[in-house]
Amino acid sequence: KATVSVLYCNMDVPLLYADLLRSIHDERVMEISFDPYSGTKEITQNETEDGLVVGVPPEAAKAVMKYIWKEGRDRDEGCVDIMLMLNAEHGPSWAKRGKRLMKEGTGGVSKEERFLRLVLKMNPKSHEGWKYKAWLSRFNMAEATAEHFEADVELSLLCCERHPRNYYAWVHLLELFKNSRHATDERRLAMMKQMRDWVAARPSDHSALSFNASVFASLTCTADIKGQCLADEREALATLMNRRTGHEATWGHLRWVTSCKWSEPYDASPQSSLQFGLKQLIASVPDPTDSVLIKSEKTLEHTWASRFCSWVFRNCPPHLLTSPHTDPNLVRSIESHLEA
């Protein structure tokens, strides 16, 4: 059980400022977060197995911010740290930290990485924070170790959990797997498998589904391994669409799965990409006579199915649609489902 110790029982703002700054620099502190449900104006520390977690009530945060501006302390180095912790979108403060780091060199990267973890855990969808994270990764690219890489992956996934459809975190994660020398094909394949499990619980996350498509494009392994990876992606998507209806993101991913081999020699097997897409279209469109589905679900599924069908016939290479391997009964079945 976490033990809570009250640090201050009043709004002595200079002391709150000093203690918050001390918490930022304390190696034992693993996270600083807003605590809107504490019911007090006190800063607290929660001792956990991983380290200390500092809770900052909104009232205390507002008081410290006013103190910073009123006392003209916005030029202090410590003030820059607090400013970013409470307002991660303050671009000038990130610029100051960047200039300071460039003077120190790569020796100060570890300290900067720890600070960024604190900021992004507190502000998981901060545009300026993730932009600075991308700059820091480029700054330290030559000396980044496998441990740095895995820590970045863990932080990105944590922020994606805390803020659904976190575009900035997904972009950073994708850049890691596309550009880092530690992102081997084996690691990419393992990450794609992890993402399939992730999406099974979050079928509305467009960014997570797009992540797998982009990582697949960066694979440099053999055609057989890529083919097996694609087959696993098809199977996972079919299972997801059959179990979880009403999610536009899965229909968008179906487009990628259907089209990702159009530029390669046509696969004449029944499990070809086009055949899979058309069959999944039929399987995913709900039966209009099914009384279990509410009207809105039927309408949404039919809308997305119609768009997918139009997209296939608008974008699919003509020689695939006219190929003898494309079952004409699939098209007639699609039309009958959509008309109903």
Side-chain angles (χ1 to χ4, degrees):
K1 294 183 180 179
T3 59
V4 180
S5 60
V6 177
L7 302 182
Y8 295 102
C9 298
N10 53 47
M11 293 295 287
D12 190 340
V13 182
L15 286 178
L16 290 174
Y17 174 93
D19 185 71
L20 187 54
L21 184 59
R22 192 181 308 113
S23 297
I24 292 173
H25 296 156
D26 189 346
E27 294 289 340
R28 299 173 301 164
V29 174
M30 303 301 296
E31 183 174 349
I32 299 176
S33 61
F34 287 117
D35 188 10
Y37 305 109
S38 63
T40 68
K41 298 180 180 180
E42 304 158 355
I43 293 180
T44 60
Q45 284 186 345
N46 297 331
E47 186 177 351
T48 65
E49 294 181 356
D50 297 328
L52 297 177
V53 177
V54 176
V56 183
E59 293 83 356
K62 293 177 182 178
V64 171
M65 289 293 286
K66 288 181 180 179
Y67 172 74
I68 289 173
W69 294 115
K70 184 177 180 180
E71 299 297 323
R73 301 180 62 91
D74 54 297
R75 295 180 178 84
D76 296 351
E77 288 188 0
C79 174
V80 170
D81 299 346
I82 293 179
M83 179 77 73
L84 291 173
M85 189 62 62
L86 302 180
N87 177 20
E89 299 300 334
H90 196 257
S93 294
W94 287 118
K96 289 180 181 180
R97 287 194 70 94
K99 291 178 181 179
R100 186 197 313 172
L101 181 63
M102 291 180 72
K103 292 179 181 179
E104 296 177 0
T106 55
V109 169
S110 296
K111 177 182 176 182
E112 202 71 4
E113 289 280 6
R114 177 187 173 275
F115 176 75
L116 259 173
R117 283 196 294 271
L118 291 177
V119 172
L120 291 175
K121 285 180 180 180
M122 193 172 190
N123 308 272
K125 203 174 182 180
S126 166
H127 168 63
E128 293 292 335
W130 284 108
K131 186 166 69 172
Y132 185 75
K133 188 75 174 72
W135 174 83
L136 183 61
S137 296
R138 293 191 297 270
F139 179 76
N140 193 48
M141 182 176 296
E143 300 185 21
T145 64
E147 289 74 16
H148 281 113
F149 174 78
E150 294 299 337
D152 269 10
V153 171
E154 181 182 357
L155 175 63
S156 299
L157 291 176
L158 176 63
C159 291
C160 290
E161 285 182 358
R162 294 190 174 184
H163 201 300
R165 294 178 287 280
N166 191 336
Y167 172 79
Y168 305 117
W170 282 113
V171 167
H172 181 74
L173 188 63
L174 179 58
E175 289 300 315
L176 287 174
F177 277 88
K178 289 177 66 176
N179 301 322
S180 175
R181 68 178 185 275
H182 302 292
T184 61
D185 276 346
E186 182 180 1
R187 185 65 181 89
R188 288 173 179 140
L189 290 170
M191 190 64 183
M192 289 185 68
K193 183 179 184 301
Q194 183 179 349
M195 285 300 98
R196 286 192 281 271
D197 297 335
W198 172 287
V199 172
R202 305 166 183 83
S204 293
D205 200 325
H206 290 263
S207 298
L209 289 163
S210 298
F211 174 84
N212 262 15
S214 299
V215 171
F216 181 85
S218 65
L219 291 173
T220 59
C221 51
T222 63
D224 290 341
I225 296 178
K226 292 184 72 174
Q228 182 59 50
C229 178
L230 180 59
D232 293 341
E233 197 74 13
R234 290 174 182 165
E235 181 181 357
L237 180 60
T239 302
L240 178 61
M241 294 187 72
N242 293 336
R243 293 176 57 187
R244 304 286 296 273
T245 62
H247 299 282
E248 186 178 8
T250 56
W251 283 95
H253 197 55
L254 180 62
R255 293 186 182 188
W256 171 77
V257 173
T258 303
S259 65
C260 65
K261 294 189 70 175
W262 283 354
S263 60
E264 301 177 14
Y266 180 53
D267 180 5
S269 71
Q271 296 301 318
S272 68
S273 294
L274 180 60
Q275 293 283 87
F276 170 79
L278 296 178
K279 289 181 178 179
Q280 189 58 41
L281 173 62
I282 294 175
S284 300
V285 175
D287 183 353
T289 62
D290 189 349
S291 59
V292 176
L293 294 175
I294 62 175
K295 184 176 180 180
S296 61
E297 288 181 342
K298 297 177 186 178
T299 302
L300 283 175
E301 290 294 294
H302 277 278
T303 299
W304 294 327
S306 298
R307 292 176 180 175
F308 176 81
C309 188
S310 300
W311 172 84
V312 167
F313 290 102
R314 186 172 61 250
N315 295 281
C316 183
H319 71 276
L320 297 187
L321 288 174
T322 58
S323 169
H325 301 294
T326 300
D327 187 357
N329 293 326
L330 287 174
V331 179
R332 287 194 290 271
S333 298
I334 292 169
E335 292 175 347
S336 63
H337 272 71
L338 296 181
E339 289 175 357

